[in-house]
Amino acid sequence: MRVSVITFPGSNCDIDSRDVFADLGHDSRTIWHKDTDLQNPDLVVLPGGFSYGDYLRSGALARFSPVMKEVISFAKQGGYILGICNGFQVLTEAQLLPGSLLANENLDFICRHQYIRVETGNSPWTHGLDKGRILDIPIAHKKGRYHLDQESLKRLEDNDQVIFRYADEEGRITPEANPNGSVNNIAGICSENRRILGMMPHPERAATKAVVSSDGYEILKAFESYLASGN
Amino acid sequence: MLKAKIFVQLKPSVLDPQGKAVSGTLSQLGFDTVQSTRISRYIEIVFAENDVEVLRPKVKEICDTLLANPNTETYHFDIEKVAES
């Protein structure tokens, strides 16, 4: 597949994101945020980092980078987009995903391993994964508290758009397993058409041989198998 | 010239952990009547404009488009005249 990773000023996971796809044999490149050609991708990745220094609100300024017009148009045409951490924040600011990411409840910058539970296999990103599967995916953020009003939250959950929740090692969804105070332990959601995934944990940091967890591969390979199945 | 003085606040329903932390420190300092603290963002923008009524809808558009996130924040603003510098 062709993967285009957007580099905003302040992105710092763009190269890692590009490389994990390249290591899996995909044609993967970075695109500077001032460019307006997405180079015909099958997948656009909005990577982690601190675009525009997190000024105003995380993702608020990046959302108006020149390339975002193309990303939004790509989304409207049914394109696949993966937003990781700051990328998730940009997607909510661009209203491609509902809700907002706010300061962690404990105000800490949290950088650690985190268990997340797969909430549905009904997404390109969890295709073939069992519901309830537990993955060890690192988190690294200060503004990751997912917030959504009650009515929209009900709609999101009724539509099966919650893809991952923060869990403990046994898969229990508890307040103790919730690192940042996200509503209902939500760690990742998809769009109504299920093609856009936003998640705070970093699968690209668990998808190289050099690191402890390789569970990030599960998400990347789920997407590969989804595309290969001709969906 | 005109200056817009814009306040952006978290909606009352949204937890403000910064405000909570400041409340805690104020209590620790002996200000025992502090009930709650909310942290807001204050923004000043100076415009090369002179007509308040022309500027008002522009400031509203700026707030709606960029300065405030309607999911979590509300805003209000005042406009005042400033001397040419």
Side-chain angles (χ1 to χ4, degrees):
Chain A
M1 77 177 106
R2 285 174 64 85
V3 182
S4 291
V5 180
I6 310 298
T7 301
F8 297 103
S11 294
N12 60 16
C13 302
D14 47 336
I15 304 301
D16 287 353
S17 299
R18 181 196 66 192
D19 288 354
V20 294
F21 283 100
D23 289 348
L24 289 169
H26 300 294
D27 182 6
S28 182
R29 80 212 68 244
T30 55
I31 306 269
W32 181 234
H33 76 120
K34 284 189 173 170
D35 290 343
T36 51
D37 181 3
L38 292 178
Q39 300 190 28
N40 195 28
D42 299 301
L43 169 68
V44 168
V45 179
L46 303 188
F50 299 88
S51 57
Y52 290 86
D54 265 359
Y55 295 162
L56 196 62
R57 296 178 307 276
S58 303
L61 299 181
R63 176 256 175 277
F64 290 104
S65 272
V67 76
M68 283 304 294
K69 235 181 211 165
E70 300 308 314
V71 171
I72 290 167
S73 157
F74 181 71
K76 303 288 182 209
Q77 291 161 28
Y80 295 101
I81 303 178
L82 169 61
I84 302 166
C85 198
N86 187 226
F88 185 11
Q89 295 162 338
V90 175
L91 288 171
T92 60
E93 283 289 340
Q95 295 180 30
L96 292 175
L97 288 175
S100 302
L101 284 313
L102 301 176
N104 296 343
E105 202 167 31
N106 63 8
L107 292 175
D108 285 341
F109 184 95
I110 306 168
C111 182
R112 68 172 202 215
H113 282 266
Q114 173 69 46
Y115 293 108
I116 58 173
R117 191 176 79 182
V118 174
E119 294 299 288
T120 176
N122 177 21
S123 85
W125 312 94
T126 50
H127 179 72
L129 293 181
D130 290 333
K131 183 177 174 175
R133 174 77 186 269
I134 300 156
L135 303 173
D136 172 359
I137 308 283
I139 54 170
H141 60 251
K142 185 167 182 174
K143 292 170 183 165
R145 173 167 53 106
Y146 185 68
H147 174 89
L148 193 62
D149 66 81
Q150 284 301 316
E151 198 182 315
S152 309
L153 179 63
K154 184 174 183 320
R155 202 163 49 239
L156 189 83
E157 297 196 321
D158 288 351
N159 287 345
D160 202 22
Q161 285 173 255
V162 177
I163 307 300
F164 302 114
R165 289 186 210 269
Y166 299 113
D168 67 16
E169 201 171 355
E170 307 296 322
R172 288 175 296 234
I173 306 299
T174 63
E176 293 73 31
N178 187 342
N180 52 27
S182 287
V183 64
N184 292 1
N185 286 45
I186 289 173
I189 61 167
C190 73
S191 56
E192 269 181 42
N193 72 3
R194 315 199 74 76
R195 294 181 169 215
I196 304 174
L197 172 69
M199 62 187 297
M200 287 311 293
H202 286 264
E204 85 284 9
R205 294 191 185 181
T208 61
K209 292 188 177 70
V211 295
V212 174
S213 171
S214 54
D215 286 355
Y217 283 123
E218 301 293 333
I219 297 167
L220 305 179
K221 288 185 181 282
F223 185 67
E224 280 181 333
S225 77
Y226 177 84
L227 277 194
S229 69
N231 285 287
Chain B
M1 294 201 297
L2 293 172
K3 183 195 279 180
K5 301 164 84 167
I6 303 159
F7 289 87
V8 180
Q9 298 161 303
L10 282 177
K11 288 180 179 173
S13 58
V14 177
L15 174 76
D16 176 9
Q18 282 190 75
K20 222 171 139 186
V22 170
S23 273
T25 299
L26 289 174
S27 300
Q28 191 190 317
L29 289 170
F31 296 101
D32 51 12
T33 55
V34 170
Q35 290 295 294
S36 68
T37 310
R38 306 282 289 175
I39 310 280
S40 303
R41 184 181 295 121
Y42 172 62
I43 300 161
E44 289 186 344
I45 306 178
V46 176
F47 294 85
E49 306 229 23
N50 290 308
D51 188 330
V52 173
E53 292 317 309
V54 169
L55 181 58
R56 198 175 296 282
K58 285 187 194 168
V59 175
K60 186 176 181 316
E61 191 185 348
I62 286 172
C63 291
D64 289 335
T65 308
L66 182 62
L67 299 186
N69 181 329
N71 293 329
T72 53
E73 294 170 327
T74 58
Y75 65 87
H76 63 91
F77 61 85
D78 296 314
I79 296 174
E80 65 176 33
K81 285 198 174 353
V82 289
E84 303 277 339
S85 55

